[in-house]
Amino acid sequence: MVVNVASTEPPAAGDALPPSSLYAAAALRAGCPYVNFTPSTGLHHPALRSATESSGLPYAGRDGKTGQTLLRSVPGPMFTQRTCGSAPGPGPTSSAAATAPPSPTPPPRPRRTPARNASWPTPSARRPRARCTSTLEKYGYDEVEFAGYTQGSAGPITLARLRRLARDHGLTPIGSHVGYYSDDPNAYTFAQNLTKVLDDAQALGLKHIGTASGPFRYGSTVDAWKRAAEEFNTYGAAARARGMKFYQHNHSDEFSFATDDPKVRLYDVLLAETDPDLVFLEMDIFWAYAGQFRFSKRPDGGSAPFEPLDYVLRQPHRYPLFHVKDGVSDPSNQFGYRMVDVGDGDIDYQRFISAVTRLRGERMAHHWQTEHDQPAESFTFARRSSAYLHSLREKC
């Protein structure tokens, strides 16, 4: 627990975080409950509102008192929050139990879990964004990741309207997928229109901006991937200059082997040649295990096993985002799995998520986003997947 007992600071002015808010933000990132014994701003700064509400951590206080007043103003609300549950944010985190007065207790606040655009349809979908945002809110989601900024035949929509829709329904836009490159010089990709891509990401208030394109622009040799990695470093530096993180989302082919050196896994080249402070990864867990199925043997037949989770555990800070999608094991399928709704498959998400969130300092550092590439019905998938992740909350 972090308790602020420092001298009272002057009222906050402007957008800059005062010292008390910086310490409060550090407490959130470390997964620590926070108590403010001073009138200082602390967690009450507007810039921290969303992170505070979605953290799932107990927090209370705006001035320290003594005796009975103290019990009412700080520990009382804190224990109430811990008992009846607050609004956890990134990941299926849980609120710790605590002894509290047995009655009366207010009804639990809705627990939320992150979303991805599986139930926020892609540009080809026909559902208007307004319906999507309200439905996601109803199912307990609090984050969305974009894969395009349009709404198909529902009509045009501006970035400002898109951001406002998300905000009005308690959804934080957390990232977006944009193409890596194109032969069209006017294409909306990182390679062709980096400035425009970053301008739009800033307009939406994104903290992450990335691509689901594999680094195959120059081929599948080691040098080809080194060249692509250098471009990723460039995009990462440009994103960082604007306060964002650039990331790459994998499919299964990233775990294949270099054509000029079949003992080298291409994903390892990407990790080694990109700057860990500039280029981050969004692991699509389904596709990572599909890669395990496809590429646990080298082209010469030699054994080359790997565990996707190990990549994360070795460098957890490089994986701020995850796509949670599920699959039923099916060796007759070319990918080793048939994609199903989250919770209906054989991928052990309790094991995977627990291993990541229990790392010291990592509980609040990751965002778990449900996804299905071709759901039978998007809203049904969103509802069922949210329910499953909520069921894991007390186990991870």
Side-chain angles (χ1 to χ4, degrees):
M1 178 185 294
V2 174
V3 181
N4 178 21
V5 293
S7 299
T8 301
E9 65 191 10
D15 295 330
L17 293 181
S20 65
S21 296
L22 291 174
Y23 284 111
L28 289 183
R29 183 172 179 79
C32 298
Y34 181 84
V35 175
N36 193 2
F37 268 77
T38 81
S40 299
T41 305
L43 286 175
H44 292 275
H45 195 283
L48 297 180
R49 179 181 177 184
S50 176
T52 301
E53 293 179 350
S54 66
S55 69
L57 293 168
Y59 64 93
R62 192 68 190 267
D63 198 1
K65 302 296 183 184
T66 59
Q68 189 178 30
T69 305
L70 169 64
L71 292 175
R72 289 198 303 266
S73 65
V74 180
M78 179 184 72
F79 288 147
T80 298
Q81 276 189 302
R82 295 183 74 176
T83 300
C84 55
S86 51
T93 57
S94 61
S95 297
T99 303
S103 63
T105 55
R109 289 158 55 185
R111 291 182 167 186
R112 300 183 183 276
T113 193
R116 200 253 180 195
N117 67 294
S119 48
W120 183 305
T122 57
S124 61
R126 297 181 181 274
R127 292 192 175 107
R129 298 278 188 171
R131 181 187 172 193
C132 295
T133 52
S134 61
T135 302
L136 289 175
E137 180 185 29
K138 179 176 69 175
Y139 293 156
Y141 289 90
D142 62 4
E143 292 178 340
V144 289
E145 181 186 37
F146 298 108
Y149 307 135
T150 61
Q151 53 181 0
S153 60
I157 188 169
T158 65
L159 295 180
R161 172 64 174 157
L162 198 53
R163 184 175 185 177
R164 188 163 58 251
L165 276 174
R167 180 198 64 201
D168 291 348
H169 292 283
L171 299 168
T172 300
I174 191 172
S176 180
H177 286 187
V178 177
Y180 167 22
Y181 68 94
S182 172
D183 293 332
D184 179 358
N186 298 313
Y188 189 76
T189 64
F190 282 96
Q192 277 69 42
N193 273 296
L194 177 61
T195 299
K196 174 62 174 171
V197 168
L198 297 181
D199 285 346
D200 289 350
Q202 277 195 303
L204 286 165
L206 302 181
K207 296 300 183 183
H208 307 83
I209 180 70
T211 184
S213 303
F216 292 97
R217 182 179 187 181
Y218 305 107
S220 300
T221 65
V222 172
D223 285 343
W225 274 53
K226 286 182 177 180
R227 187 176 174 186
E230 189 56 39
E231 292 183 340
F232 281 14
N233 286 333
T234 298
Y235 309 150
R240 181 177 179 177
R242 299 188 186 215
M244 294 180 283
K245 292 181 178 179
F246 170 79
Y247 63 93
Q248 194 269 340
H249 165 287
N250 67 274
H251 291 90
S252 62
D253 285 335
E254 283 87 340
F255 298 96
S256 62
F257 298 93
T259 54
D260 61 332
D261 190 346
K263 293 183 179 180
V264 175
R265 195 180 301 279
L266 289 173
Y267 195 69
D268 295 336
V269 177
L270 178 66
L271 289 174
E273 297 297 326
T274 49
D275 186 329
D277 293 325
L278 298 178
V279 177
F280 298 85
L281 292 309
E282 177 178 62
M283 179 172 282
D284 186 304
I285 299 170
F286 172 92
W287 287 118
Y289 279 101
Q292 181 192 60
F293 174 82
R294 297 179 64 197
F295 302 112
S296 285
K297 288 186 177 181
R298 293 191 297 269
D300 63 5
S303 179
F306 73 95
E307 167 56 53
L309 177 58
D310 289 343
Y311 280 107
V312 181
L313 298 183
R314 284 194 291 265
Q315 299 186 74
H317 67 286
R318 295 199 73 177
Y319 292 87
L321 307 172
F322 292 91
H323 277 190
V324 177
K325 62 176 70 165
D326 214 343
V328 173
S329 179
D330 181 2
S332 67
N333 186 292
Q334 62 174 323
F335 299 112
Y337 294 88
R338 287 183 291 104
M339 198 175 295
V340 295
D341 288 355
V342 177
D344 289 347
D346 296 319
I347 297 177
D348 189 345
Y349 274 109
Q350 181 176 336
R351 166 181 169 268
F352 195 104
I353 295 174
S354 293
V356 177
T357 58
R358 290 176 180 174
L359 293 172
R360 182 176 179 84
E362 296 297 327
R363 190 168 187 82
M364 296 288 296
H366 307 278
H367 304 267
W368 307 88
Q369 304 163 84
T370 62
E371 184 188 29
H372 193 306
D373 289 359
Q374 294 181 319
E377 206 287 318
S378 292
F379 290 148
T380 300
F381 165 77
R383 174 180 55 79
R384 298 185 72 245
S385 299
S386 176
Y388 175 71
L389 284 188
H390 280 100
S391 75
L392 291 184
R393 192 178 298 274
E394 301 301 333
K395 303 175 184 177
C396 295

